[in-house]
Amino acid sequence: DPNGKLASFSNFGRNTVHIAAPGVNILSHTLKKLQSWSGTSMAAPHVAGIAVLLWSQNLNQTYAQIKQRILASSRPLAGLRGRTLTGGMVNAYHALTNTKAKAN
């Protein structure tokens, strides 16, 4: 959610959920207008988009390398500690620059 905590509808598990992604009140284009939506359908594209950006930097990277870079560059958040493998949220900047995000 906007406060760095898991949404009430989120799955969690230290060994089963690798990383969090924004999924609450995500502004989305629809056929009618701009609307705010929530759910995994809003969160998954954030991770997929970062993966594609990383792949575009180097087409020779493997799936495993891209996954590891996304996980290693997550932004640690107290509200996610112990609830995901990384304890953090995806961070495009740190993934693309191959740097480690600092905890808040």
Side-chain angles (χ1 to χ4, degrees):
D1 73 6
N3 300 311
K5 296 180 181 172
L6 288 179
S8 61
F9 54 80
S10 294
N11 288 319
F12 61 92
R14 182 178 212 140
N15 298 317
T16 54
V17 176
H18 291 77
I19 198 164
V24 176
N25 296 326
I26 304 300
L27 203 53
S28 305
H29 286 279
T30 67
L31 293 175
K32 297 178 183 179
K33 60 182 177 175
L34 215 51
Q35 294 181 311
S36 180
W37 290 61
S38 298
T40 55
S41 295
M42 298 293 106
H46 285 88
V47 182
I50 294 169
V52 169
L53 287 170
L54 288 172
W55 189 51
S56 74
Q57 285 184 327
N58 178 355
L59 298 176
N60 294 319
Q61 290 180 96
T62 66
Y63 156 81
Q65 290 170 318
I66 290 173
K67 178 181 174 183
Q68 182 54 41
R69 193 151 152 189
I70 290 170
L71 297 179
S73 62
S74 69
R75 184 180 64 160
L77 295 172
L80 300 175
R81 190 177 306 123
R83 306 195 104 198
T84 66
L85 178 71
T86 62
M89 183 177 292
V90 294
N91 187 293
Y93 173 81
H94 289 289
L96 290 167
T97 58
N98 202 22
T99 57
K100 183 79 176 150
K102 293 181 182 176
N104 288 357

